[in-house]
Amino acid sequence: MSERDGPAARPRAMEEQTLLLYTDGLVERRGEDIDTSPARLTALRMSAGARPPDVVDTVCDGLDALHAEDGVAVVAARPRPRRPQDADAGAGG
């Protein structure tokens, strides 16, 4: 990456936070205002400490992914703390 590309973003997530990545097929529906489905997504409620697979299930069920008009991909991930030996192994290269 060159300097003209700007600084690389390195967001940090807490252990209890879940990162959700999804394709537009999950939230876009023909004939529906573009803001409607993302609003439904943000209105979904998960139990505290929900595991990533449970988050994916809740999101797919809540937005009726099985009947989407386009392909859908959803990934949920949660950071885990590094064990000391993992951190040492990464320091060498």
Side-chain angles (χ1 to χ4, degrees):
M1 182 162 127
S2 72
E3 286 185 31
R4 71 173 184 217
D5 293 330
R10 300 190 89 179
R12 302 242 184 239
M14 305 293 284
E15 274 184 66
E16 65 275 2
Q17 293 177 320
T18 301
L19 173 66
L20 183 70
L21 305 170
Y22 57 90
T23 59
D24 61 350
L26 178 69
V27 295
E28 291 181 354
R29 300 290 184 267
R30 280 189 200 96
E32 183 175 81
D33 184 273
I34 190 66
D35 295 325
T36 301
S37 286
R40 278 197 303 266
L41 177 62
T42 60
L44 292 175
R45 297 294 172 239
M46 321 263 165
S47 61
R51 298 174 332 115
D54 299 327
V55 171
V56 170
D57 289 344
T58 299
V59 167
C60 288
D61 291 345
L63 294 179
D64 196 19
L66 288 177
H67 297 101
E69 298 160 345
D70 199 359
V72 172
V74 181
V75 176
R78 183 169 301 139
R80 295 187 310 184
R82 293 177 100 182
R83 297 183 312 233
Q85 65 267 24
D86 293 341
D88 292 342

